[in-house]
Amino acid sequence: MRKWKQIVLVCLLVSAFSFYGYSTISFAQETEPMIRIGVVPTAESIKLKADGPFTVLDKGTGEILFSGNGEEVTVTLGSAAQIQSYYRLQVAFTTSQAYLDDWLARAHAEGYPTYVEDYNGGYRLYLGEFPTDASFSVRTAFKDEVVAKGLAASDAFWKIVTTADGERQLSAKMGSEEKTTSHPVQLQADSGIVLINGTPYRGIAEVGFNSGGTLAGINEVNIEHYLYGVVPRELPPVPYNEVEAQKAQAVAARTYALSNMGKRSADGYDLLPTTSDQVYGGYRSEHPISTEAVDGTKGIVATYEGKLITAVFHSTSGGFTANNEDVWNSEATPYLRATHVAQKGNSLKYVPALDVYKKTGNSESLRKAKKGDFEADWSKYYRWNFEWTAEEISSVLSSYFSTDVGEVQEINITERSSSGRAAIIEFVTENGTFYEYKDRIRWALQYIDATGKPAVLLSTLFIVEPVLDPATNEVSGFKVEGGGWGHGVGMSQVGAVGMAEAGYDFTVILKHFYQGIELETRY
């Protein structure tokens, strides 16, 4: 009789989880995984330490190199391999081996150098091999040539790619004792807390080699403890202390991490601790509210048709999120669809628009929760504006395009996506017309920050206009009025906070921003 009662109880639990938005429980759950974070992506010297007893191991042989108690271990780069850096044209990303083979065959038939980089379960494809001082005009001519031959699209872009050949060694020193090895070294602490260049982390500290031929400081830690240091940095609990929003962030961050394991394996780790992946601050960044959110969603991930989603997120949408293909060079993803970030319905007419902002000239007039926008009261980046002098805009564009553009005569947005974001921008200058596409526009049209330095434009949701000299009516510069911060795809973090404040739980928040998903408990 007891056995039947247990079966009934399990069935009731399954029904309860399904009712509250989870998929059915997996009884063959996975083991909680470990993740590797490149907390020091490149260096020639890295310091390791623990406040208490520790051991330092040769990861390749398992040999104990040192045992200590509070001492500092300095790891330096020994004999370096040959390091080479080139400008290469990144032309595509693919997961298809057939596409890769066909592209390589066509490129080699034309006699072009190629380079293929493993990335996120697929391949980044590069053409060309130019020295890092190659001029913009030379690179542009090459790009035009390969585009004409069907080996690249017009949105291909240049990137400096560094590789290293030959055996590398590192030296580990504690006090007067020094050991040399060609393998990575790991420091393991009895306390479970290690220090890498003075910053404390849970788990293990490791120093290994990156693909550029220098050292990488790596924190190997279980995924939940990693999230303790991610969630408060991605969505600070002060002031964003809405627990359901913190839970949504925890699930999104967990899903992103698990779906990107091995993304940066060429450098010896999985992810970077920056906005290139997810911001990770380690042990010092932990906060009770964020930790509660991580613990309260342990093992829960977002899936689409049984597979982990690409759970991208951004700070502020500006009122409407973006389709992924409108921002990046990727196929349309069903769950990354543009959607409203407001209570009044999925229509642009209900979202405070940039033309309204332009007419009022006052961002505060739009920052009203009663208007139904979940972001307006939470983000100072909901609406913003910047301005350039003629000299500043010329300098910004000349730096980006690696050539002297001279006087900037016009800046035109020639195409917009469905969410209103700039998709193609045209810079008409005295020395030629230049173009940039999708999210790369933010890097081309950098604003001048409070310190007088160029910084990446906050979003591509903006209006750009010339500034006219009132005396001569000639163009004296340019100005933008825009909204949002980040690429705009997936979950708006402050939008999630606004939804949580309005009473929505994390399951509703996640399913609003990632459409058609399920939530599953993986471990």
Side-chain angles (χ1 to χ4, degrees):
M1 188 68 172
R2 183 177 298 171
K3 183 177 181 180
W4 285 106
K5 288 181 178 179
Q6 290 172 337
I7 292 172
V8 170
L9 177 59
V10 169
C11 291
L12 288 172
L13 285 171
V14 171
S15 298
F17 271 74
S18 179
F19 177 79
Y20 284 104
Y22 301 101
S23 65
T24 55
I25 301 171
S26 170
F27 292 95
Q29 292 179 340
E30 302 170 5
T31 303
E32 183 179 337
M34 303 291 286
I35 191 167
R36 295 166 59 80
I37 310 301
V39 294
V40 183
T42 180
E44 294 189 0
S45 176
I46 297 174
K47 297 184 183 299
L48 305 180
K49 190 180 178 182
D51 293 331
F54 66 84
T55 56
V56 176
L57 305 174
D58 182 311
K59 189 178 179 182
T61 65
E63 175 190 358
I64 295 178
L65 302 178
F66 305 111
S67 293
N69 190 339
E71 295 92 342
E72 187 172 78
V73 176
T74 301
V75 184
T76 56
L77 188 65
S79 58
Q82 183 180 6
I83 300 172
Q84 297 176 318
S85 296
Y86 295 106
Y87 261 123
R88 300 182 189 271
L89 184 67
Q90 183 172 327
V91 302
F93 169 79
T94 183
T95 57
S96 168
Q97 186 66 44
Y99 181 90
L100 171 63
D101 293 341
D102 174 70
W103 179 83
L104 285 172
R106 290 186 291 118
H108 292 161
E110 295 286 350
Y112 295 124
T114 61
Y115 180 72
V116 178
E117 179 182 40
D118 290 341
Y119 177 78
N120 198 20
Y123 309 99
R124 280 174 169 163
L125 312 183
Y126 297 89
L127 268 179
E129 190 174 272
F130 292 85
T132 54
D133 59 355
S135 69
F136 179 77
S137 59
V138 169
R139 290 183 283 119
T140 298
F142 176 82
K143 177 180 174 180
D144 292 343
E145 180 180 309
V146 296
V147 168
K149 293 182 178 181
L151 291 169
S154 59
D155 57 2
F157 60 93
W158 290 98
K159 181 178 176 182
I160 294 178
V161 178
T162 301
T163 58
D165 297 316
E167 186 179 32
R168 298 166 291 183
Q169 288 191 324
L170 55 78
S171 173
K173 186 175 182 180
M174 186 178 78
S176 60
E177 193 174 1
E178 186 170 4
K179 300 287 181 67
T180 300
T181 177
S182 58
H183 306 129
V185 297
Q186 289 188 332
L187 184 148
Q188 301 178 7
D190 289 4
S191 66
I193 305 296
V194 297
L195 287 87
I196 303 175
N197 279 356
T199 300
Y201 302 94
R202 295 178 185 266
I204 296 170
E206 179 178 320
V207 178
F209 303 105
N210 58 34
S211 62
T214 61
L215 299 179
I218 300 162
N219 175 213
E220 184 173 330
V221 61
N222 78 55
I223 194 79
E224 298 300 306
H225 287 169
Y226 162 68
L227 294 174
Y228 285 174
V230 168
V231 175
R233 291 298 302 275
E234 285 289 357
L235 189 62
V238 180
Y240 307 118
N241 59 359
E242 295 288 337
V243 174
E244 293 304 311
Q246 294 281 325
K247 287 181 178 179
Q249 181 67 64
V251 174
R254 183 182 295 110
T255 305
Y256 180 91
L258 291 174
S259 65
N260 283 278
M261 297 286 272
K263 175 181 177 181
R264 302 182 187 276
S265 58
D267 288 311
Y269 46 84
D270 297 303
L271 301 176
L272 286 168
T274 67
T275 53
S276 295
D277 289 311
Q278 300 187 119
V279 181
Y280 171 57
Y283 186 69
R284 281 188 189 140
S285 296
E286 296 179 13
H287 190 281
I289 293 175
S290 305
T291 299
E292 176 189 348
V294 173
D295 291 343
T297 60
K298 182 176 180 178
I300 298 174
V301 295
T303 64
Y304 184 84
E305 296 183 345
K307 296 181 180 179
L308 291 169
I309 70 168
T310 301
V312 291
F313 45 85
H314 57 280
S315 168
T316 311
S317 75
F320 220 81
T321 66
N323 295 321
N324 67 289
E325 72 275 16
D326 294 335
V327 175
W328 302 308
N329 301 319
S330 56
E331 295 295 323
T333 301
Y335 52 83
L336 296 178
R337 300 295 85 201
T339 188
H340 66 290
V341 190
Q343 289 175 304
K344 291 187 176 182
N346 193 10
S347 173
L348 284 171
K349 71 179 181 180
Y350 294 125
V351 180
L354 289 174
D355 59 349
V356 175
Y357 167 68
K358 179 182 174 183
K359 290 174 183 176
T360 63
N362 179 8
S363 61
E364 292 302 316
S365 69
L366 298 176
R367 297 168 64 85
K368 303 292 183 183
K370 66 183 180 181
K371 289 181 178 291
D373 190 286
F374 292 125
E375 297 175 331
D377 285 344
W378 285 100
S379 176
K380 65 181 180 180
Y381 302 111
Y382 180 67
R383 293 291 181 263
W384 43 262
N385 58 81
F386 299 111
E387 191 168 318
W388 298 263
T389 65
E391 293 75 17
E392 287 171 340
I393 194 65
S394 177
S395 175
V396 165
L397 296 181
S398 294
S399 176
Y400 181 77
F401 290 109
S402 301
T403 189
D404 181 10
V405 302
E407 179 188 349
V408 180
Q409 298 160 345
E410 296 179 30
I411 301 178
N412 304 308
I413 296 172
T414 62
E415 184 178 319
R416 290 186 182 272
S417 67
S418 60
S419 62
R421 287 170 171 77
I424 301 176
I425 195 166
E426 175 186 69
F427 302 103
V428 181
T429 79
E430 68 173 315
N431 292 331
T433 300
F434 302 86
Y435 294 88
E436 195 48 276
Y437 307 85
K438 301 184 179 181
D439 206 45
R440 293 296 307 174
I441 291 170
R442 296 167 57 204
W443 278 260
L445 189 59
Q446 297 191 32
Y447 72 96
I448 307 302
D449 67 15
T451 68
K453 296 179 180 179
V456 175
L457 195 64
L458 298 181
S459 83
T460 55
L461 183 62
F462 64 84
I463 297 167
V464 59
E465 294 179 316
V467 176
L468 301 179
D469 185 312
T472 64
N473 207 37
E474 294 180 352
V475 175
S476 61
F478 290 87
K479 63 180 180 180
V480 292
E481 295 174 330
W485 185 19
H487 49 67
V489 182
M491 184 174 72
S492 160
Q493 292 168 299
V494 294
V497 175
M499 290 184 70
E501 182 187 37
Y504 296 101
D505 73 10
F506 77 95
T507 65
V508 175
I509 294 170
L510 289 166
K511 291 183 178 183
H512 176 77
F513 289 109
Y514 307 114
Q515 297 168 38
I517 66 165
E518 298 294 335
L519 298 179
E520 299 180 9
T521 302
R522 287 291 177 93
Y523 54 82

